[in-house]
Amino acid sequence: MIRIPNAEIWDLHCHFSGVEGKTVDERIAQLMVYADRMNVDRLVFFMGWPWSTNPDPDEFRRQNDQVIQALTHWQDRAFGFAYLNPMYVEESLAEIDRCIANGPLVGIKLWVSRRCRDEEVDEIINKTAELKGVIYQHTWLKVSGNRETESTPEDLAKLASRHPGVPLICGHTGGDWERGIRAIQNHPNVSIGIGGSDPTAGFVEMAVRELGAERILYGSDIGGRSFSSQLAKVFGAEIPEAAKHLILGQNLKTMMTPILKSKGIQF
Amino acid sequence: MITDVNVNLSRWPFRRLPHDDPAQLVRKLRTSGITSAWAGSFDGVLHKDLASVNRRTVKDCETFGDGLLIPVGSINPMLPAWKDDMRRCREDHGMKIIRLHPNYHGYKLDNPIFGELLGLAVEQNFIVQIALKMEDERVHHPLMQVEMVDTTPLKELVEQHPNSKILIINGMKGLQKNRLIELAKTGNVSFEISMLEAVGGVENVLKLIPVEILLFGSYFPFFYLESALLKMQESELGNFRSNAIFSGNAKRLLAEN
Ligand SMILES: [Zn+2]
């Protein structure tokens, strides 16, 4: 009934929400049951709970510890990015050392505490790039109004033009994807994450047309979202089978290969 | 057997969608295993001449899909002669289902006219679909920002019309848990899964509401049809519950009318 591509699926965007469980170990185990049902092979987790939009360094360290703990039993399937707050640049740089240079995490997640057009973010980008870490920046374009410190795809385009050699991920494609796709189009170092929005038909078709399949990354934003609604964006898109393979896993794998190799992580 | 209770014909006003012509729509439904689709019209959201919208809907359902499409009439009680539109849906077109867009049509559910409509719907044996939203509010067109329908008054109204049959569509993402449970308890209100989110969404919502009032809806072609289909796979449901959601509940609802 559903044509499920026979592809390796790597999920860029996972959280520990949407399931019960007091400990992160309990939660990740439950999430993996759903991942198994949906044939999702690898999952990238970032941030712990409860949510904190502007965490102080103690708080983002605590959340990163949750992620590191979650990975301990799932090293064959799960990866983690460090949650940082560019309002605390020094502490964020130290956290990159702790979690990526000297720890198991392989990228960073920047959320809504500071707009990524700000030059203060640059040091964090440079340091992560030196370590070959993956850089995920949340973006949204809400007609109802963004938070003042929430980045838009245009903000990410500015960041991208200051770091033309550094791969960057435009999280959510700005939510309003018809605008988000065009906002980052002329920055070939920017890929889009398609997770965390409604499965509106035409999204992935437009992205393939305007960016090429190589710049599109499947991710779900579980557990607030389902795997289903987000996989459907790729499974249901009217695009070639080869493009689906790239989007579902190959692109993220390629992007993560340098850091996984340098850390000696099997994949 | 799969009955999809939430499908739209014609064009979404703000973008072209893949499969937004009836031949393609029907082909996609069919190859995806959908055996029956309750098809309303995007035109019902903004058009004023709903009589012609409903005629076109019926015509498309007759022309395409060999009976796959079941026409759903659009009714807007803010327009003159809406009662005549309802009568035509029933008498001229033999429709059993109507669809409402209270937020796009500019009335709240505590407006007495909605109560009147519900009363007439009971008399004429209609299933009343209420679309709570059409699109994530954060990505609306800037000149067309429309709040989700507030269902607070619905419980009391349904109690006044104990034979009413209401199907909430596009509701599962914004509807609060306590409201969902309260409406479910009335026994007159059903729901569909198109906007249901979170991992294992279907099995989780069935901890809150009985399976008899949960129906399969995709919101195709606005949403990728695969989204709703995959949700049925993401949850561990078993045959009995799967069959009920996929078709049994919809069939029962329709047969009663
Ligand atoms: Zn997220």
Side-chain angles (χ1 to χ4, degrees):
Chain A
M1 285 193 301
I2 307 176
R3 284 193 315 114
I4 295 184
N6 181 24
E8 203 178 341
I9 302 177
W10 286 38
D11 193 319
L12 166 71
H13 187 167
C14 302
H15 306 293
F16 301 106
S17 55
V19 288
E20 313 267 302
K22 282 195 189 70
T23 66
V24 75
D25 299 303
E26 283 170 36
R27 291 191 181 198
I28 193 170
Q30 288 184 60
L31 291 167
M32 287 300 184
V33 172
Y34 295 109
D36 283 340
R37 276 185 208 156
M38 305 313 289
N39 300 320
V40 176
D41 298 288
R42 306 281 180 139
L43 300 89
V44 178
F45 286 89
F46 38 79
M47 310 206 300
W49 76 90
W51 296 131
S52 173
T53 53
N54 186 19
D56 65 24
D58 280 345
E59 178 57 18
F60 63 66
R61 285 192 283 259
R62 190 190 67 80
Q63 295 206 13
N64 292 332
D65 284 341
Q66 286 181 309
V67 175
I68 291 168
Q69 172 60 33
L71 302 186
T72 51
H73 304 294
W74 297 94
Q75 276 155 354
D76 54 331
R77 281 188 84 176
F79 305 111
F81 291 172
Y83 179 31
L84 306 176
N85 182 350
M87 295 305 289
Y88 302 91
V89 172
E90 283 311 310
E91 291 87 344
S92 290
L93 295 172
E95 189 68 348
I96 293 171
D97 273 330
R98 184 179 83 95
C99 297
I100 304 178
N102 305 310
L105 304 188
V106 294
I108 64 168
K109 152 80 182 240
L110 301 173
W111 199 21
V112 291
S113 62
R114 176 167 218 157
R115 295 179 76 156
C116 61
R117 65 183 180 193
D118 292 354
E119 289 182 5
E120 287 82 352
V121 180
D122 286 349
E123 273 190 273
I124 293 172
I125 300 300
N126 288 334
K127 186 165 179 99
T128 309
E130 274 166 33
L131 296 166
K132 308 186 184 78
V134 176
I135 299 167
Y136 179 99
Q137 170 66 59
H138 162 103
T139 67
W140 253 94
L141 272 168
K142 297 172 182 143
V143 69
S144 41
N146 274 23
R147 293 167 178 266
E148 219 173 297
T149 53
E150 183 171 20
S151 298
T152 64
E154 283 91 350
D155 293 332
L156 187 66
K158 289 195 180 104
L159 182 72
S161 61
R162 297 203 302 271
H163 301 270
V166 178
L168 300 170
I169 299 171
C170 179
H172 305 287
T173 320
D176 194 349
W177 44 269
E178 286 158 314
R179 295 160 72 201
I181 289 167
R182 300 305 297 268
I184 54 85
Q185 183 168 37
N186 292 330
H187 300 275
N189 54 323
V190 177
S191 299
I192 56 167
I194 61 170
S197 61
D198 283 346
T200 309
F203 178 175
V204 170
E205 288 90 333
M206 179 185 169
V208 169
R209 186 189 79 216
E210 295 295 332
L211 306 174
E214 291 76 11
R215 289 173 63 187
I216 307 171
L217 304 168
Y218 158 74
S220 58
D221 207 357
I222 61 153
R225 292 277 177 179
S226 59
F227 286 110
S228 299
S229 61
Q230 308 303 308
L231 285 169
K233 293 174 183 173
V234 190
F235 290 4
E238 307 273 303
I239 54 173
E241 207 65 10
K244 293 184 183 180
H245 284 235
L246 288 172
I247 297 166
L248 287 169
Q250 291 307 312
N251 290 336
L252 182 58
K253 193 177 189 174
T254 303
M255 189 182 260
M256 288 176 68
T257 293
I259 190 161
L260 294 180
K261 274 200 172 145
S262 77
K263 283 173 163 283
I265 297 174
Q266 295 291 322
F267 62 99
Chain B
M1 302 285 274
I2 304 177
T3 298
D4 186 339
V5 300
N6 185 6
V7 168
N8 278 286
L9 289 159
S10 194
R11 303 257 168 95
W12 175 244
F14 300 99
R15 73 168 65 86
R16 287 300 304 270
L17 300 165
H19 310 105
D20 67 2
D21 81 71
Q24 285 180 31
L25 179 112
V26 160
R27 195 178 318 127
K28 173 77 182 183
L29 287 168
R30 184 140 287 147
T31 56
S32 307
I34 309 296
T35 45
S36 180
W38 298 5
S41 174
F42 285 127
D43 295 346
V45 180
L46 297 177
H47 287 215
K48 294 173 191 165
D49 180 6
L50 291 183
S52 91
V53 170
N54 291 332
R55 284 172 60 154
R56 281 199 303 278
T57 302
V58 169
K59 182 122 199 297
D60 281 347
C61 292
E62 284 168 359
T63 311
F64 300 94
D66 298 318
L68 175 76
L69 302 175
I70 310 244
V72 176
S74 295
I75 297 295
N76 176 357
M78 297 291 103
L79 291 172
W82 63 271
K83 291 178 192 168
D84 192 48
D85 281 335
M86 262 176 96
R87 185 194 57 75
R88 291 189 206 182
C89 282
R90 192 59 169 162
E91 292 176 12
D92 299 354
H93 303 313
M95 289 171 164
K96 295 178 168 185
I97 313 156
I98 55 173
R99 189 172 290 175
L100 309 179
H101 297 281
N103 49 352
Y104 285 86
H105 293 167
Y107 63 95
K108 306 250 186 243
L109 300 190
D110 59 4
N111 187 323
I113 210 161
F114 174 68
E116 196 183 348
L117 187 157
L118 210 52
L120 277 174
V122 171
E123 270 173 35
Q124 297 175 38
N125 247 329
F126 278 117
I127 297 167
V128 179
Q129 295 193 334
I130 306 175
L132 298 197
K133 62 167 82 182
M134 295 301 274
E135 190 178 30
D136 184 333
E137 289 82 354
R138 296 172 295 179
V139 297
H140 281 182
H141 191 283
L143 300 179
M144 187 93 202
Q145 297 183 60
V146 182
E147 266 178 46
M148 178 174 156
V149 175
D150 177 8
T151 54
T152 311
L154 197 54
K155 175 180 177 274
E156 213 181 297
L157 272 162
V158 166
E159 283 163 359
Q160 288 163 21
H161 299 280
N163 293 321
S164 56
K165 287 198 193 71
I166 291 169
L167 173 56
I168 302 282
I169 63 172
N170 296 351
M172 284 304 219
K173 190 138 189 287
L175 209 55
Q176 305 220 314
K177 218 189 223 181
N178 57 348
R179 181 83 55 222
L180 178 70
I181 293 168
E182 171 188 284
L183 290 173
K185 276 189 184 147
T186 66
N188 302 60
V189 183
S190 302
F191 305 88
E192 56 80 33
I193 65 168
S194 65
M195 289 198 181
L196 184 58
E197 276 293 358
V199 283
V202 179
E203 63 187 40
N204 284 326
V205 83
L206 289 179
K207 293 171 188 158
L208 305 175
I209 67 172
V211 69
E212 290 75 19
I213 57 169
L214 192 61
L215 281 69
F216 179 84
S218 67
Y219 194 32
F220 178 68
F222 190 97
F223 281 179
Y224 290 108
L225 180 56
E226 285 77 1
S227 173
L229 288 167
L230 287 167
K231 282 175 196 173
M232 296 296 286
Q233 181 179 323
E234 184 167 331
S235 283
E236 183 89 71
L237 296 170
N239 270 342
F240 173 79
R241 296 198 298 179
S242 277
N243 291 338
I245 296 166
F246 265 139
S247 66
N249 295 337
K251 269 194 195 143
R252 195 192 57 244
L253 206 59
L254 204 56
E256 287 167 0
N257 281 46

